[in-house]
Amino acid sequence: MVGPLVSAGALLLVVSACGGAQNAGTGAGGGPTLPTATSSSEAPPDIAPGEMPPDGKPVTKLDTNALSPEFPRTVWTQGDGRTVGLIGQEGGCGKASASVLEQSTSAVKIELVETLPLDKQACTMDIRFPSLTVQLSEPLGERTVALTSRQEQK
């Protein structure tokens, strides 16, 4: 009689543990979702593609010809115009970052990079859009922002 009670108790424990994980939220694969962090401590959190922070001013001169079609194209300036914010793209074990490649009187070239780990590991199958910022030497003003992107492994 003790055997069936122990089995029933173990089953109840497993079922209640699974129920607790479900309450945390489920991802696309049915497993629990995990919180994600932004790639820049200065960037505002929880900015979705197509949105910008309340204090952001949209960049109207934007060259996105070098980006793949599904890549976010939301760019803004903050403060005095020296801070440029944008939405990156990362997935699984990748980590997004941005850097200024060139600055001239007519354009600013910003590169978006997704860094992937060198070693093989299990990674989630999700895509995230973290807010990123870069600092310019002079306010953006009427210059065009040209975006490029690439992946690297480190």
Side-chain angles (χ1 to χ4, degrees):
M1 186 72 178
V2 174
L5 286 177
V6 170
S7 296
L11 179 61
L12 182 60
L13 179 62
V14 169
V15 170
S16 64
C18 289
Q22 294 291 330
N23 291 338
T26 56
T33 56
L34 301 174
T36 58
T38 60
S39 295
S40 170
S41 60
E42 297 175 20
D46 302 321
I47 302 294
E51 295 181 11
M52 66 184 65
D55 63 338
K57 180 181 175 189
V59 171
T60 56
K61 292 184 175 182
L62 195 57
D63 177 359
T64 60
N65 292 328
L67 293 180
S68 60
E70 69 276 354
F71 213 89
R73 286 157 164 73
T74 304
V75 182
W76 65 90
T77 59
Q78 292 177 265
D80 67 356
R82 293 176 197 256
T83 301
V84 175
L86 57 155
I87 305 293
Q89 181 173 308
E90 63 188 17
C93 295
K95 187 70 175 165
S97 62
S99 62
V100 178
L101 295 180
E102 298 174 19
Q103 296 184 61
S104 71
T105 57
S106 61
V108 172
K109 187 173 183 180
I110 299 174
E111 181 178 53
L112 298 160
V113 178
E114 181 183 14
T115 303
L116 304 168
L118 281 173
D119 57 329
K120 300 289 183 191
Q121 54 186 284
C123 299
T124 59
M125 298 276 303
D126 63 329
I127 297 176
R128 298 176 302 275
F129 302 99
S131 300
L132 307 169
T133 59
V134 295
Q135 298 298 314
L136 305 179
S137 57
E138 298 293 327
L140 180 63
E142 294 299 314
R143 295 185 285 175
T144 298
V145 173
L147 298 178
T148 63
S149 65
R150 67 179 173 90
Q151 284 187 334
E152 69 179 13
Q153 288 188 304
K154 282 189 178 179

